[in-house]
Amino acid sequence: MTRTSPMTVKRVRLWRWGHNPLKRHSDVVEAWIVLVTWALALLGGVLAGVVAAQATDSAFAVRRAQVHAVSAVLTDDAAKTPSGGSGYDNGRVWAAVRWTDTVGTVHTGQTKIFPGSPVGSRLTVWADGTGRIVSPPPSVTGATLQVVLTGLLVAPLAGATVWAGGRLIRTRLLQRRLAEWEKEWEQVGPEWRKRSGGRG
């Protein structure tokens, strides 16, 4: 008794690029769509990540240029215990401070400090061009980390967006191809069934 082996299907890679009698124009178009989609996804993702990182770095640079550190004096004793809050201030409390700018103008404001600091304590605060106390800019290390993370986050998102667009185009092309096959089968099918039935 002869044992027959199951039929195996050999997958031919890059068949859309070679000579194939069954290859249609839509197959060539799809091959180019795949190639262009991957190229744009990779290059576009990298470019978008670089642009986003540069934009973030520029924003931090502008922020650092708009503020400056000043030496201030605590004008009141700070509260000994922080009031209930969101917990994002590391237990710090609001306190009044005073400082003098480079032209001799005295400024006052409120800033967050650790509880229990006595009046007269010196501390560094950040002020903008109008003399208003603002939050400190990120450190060089913190800014660099945020720039890198921004680039790493934007790059794959941009690439995935391009890839999804290419996938959508390929899906539409497949639907169109199936419709063409169905239309052709409506013309060829009856004749093929007629001949097949005649052989039986």
Side-chain angles (χ1 to χ4, degrees):
M1 182 176 179
T2 304
R3 183 178 181 181
T4 59
S5 60
M7 183 179 64
T8 59
V9 178
K10 183 178 180 181
R11 184 175 182 180
V12 180
R13 298 183 181 275
L14 303 177
W15 66 271
R16 292 184 179 89
W17 296 102
H19 177 71
N20 189 321
L22 299 178
K23 181 174 64 177
R24 299 167 178 258
H25 175 70
S26 59
D27 295 323
V28 178
V29 173
E30 183 178 1
W32 278 106
I33 290 175
V34 172
L35 180 63
V36 172
T37 297
W38 278 109
L40 290 179
L42 294 174
L43 297 178
V46 172
L47 180 61
V50 171
V51 171
Q54 290 178 343
T56 304
D57 187 51
S58 297
F60 286 146
V62 171
R63 167 71 174 161
R64 287 190 294 268
Q66 291 176 341
V67 300
H68 57 281
V70 295
S71 178
V73 178
L74 187 64
T75 58
D76 293 309
D77 290 329
K80 297 186 180 300
T81 57
S83 59
S86 61
Y88 290 106
D89 295 315
N90 295 325
R92 292 178 295 178
V93 296
W94 286 105
V97 294
R98 181 184 67 248
W99 75 95
T100 304
D101 60 24
T102 55
V103 297
T105 303
V106 177
H107 300 270
T108 59
Q110 294 276 329
T111 188
K112 285 279 191 177
I113 65 172
F114 288 104
S117 299
V119 62
S121 299
R122 300 200 69 86
L123 66 155
T124 299
V125 297
W126 290 84
D128 59 16
T130 65
R132 183 173 57 92
I133 294 179
V134 294
S135 59
S139 63
V140 175
T141 301
T144 301
L145 179 60
Q146 291 188 47
V147 167
V148 172
L149 290 177
T150 299
L152 293 177
L153 178 64
V154 170
L157 289 178
T161 302
V162 174
W163 183 87
R167 185 71 177 179
L168 178 61
I169 295 174
R170 290 182 62 194
T171 300
R172 296 289 178 83
L173 188 62
L174 176 60
Q175 292 173 349
R176 180 179 175 182
R177 185 188 305 143
L178 292 176
E180 291 176 353
W181 285 347
E182 184 177 357
K183 185 177 180 180
E184 292 179 4
W185 178 250
E186 290 177 355
Q187 299 174 356
V188 178
E191 183 67 22
W192 182 85
R193 283 193 295 268
K194 181 180 178 180
R195 294 182 178 181
S196 296
R199 289 179 187 147

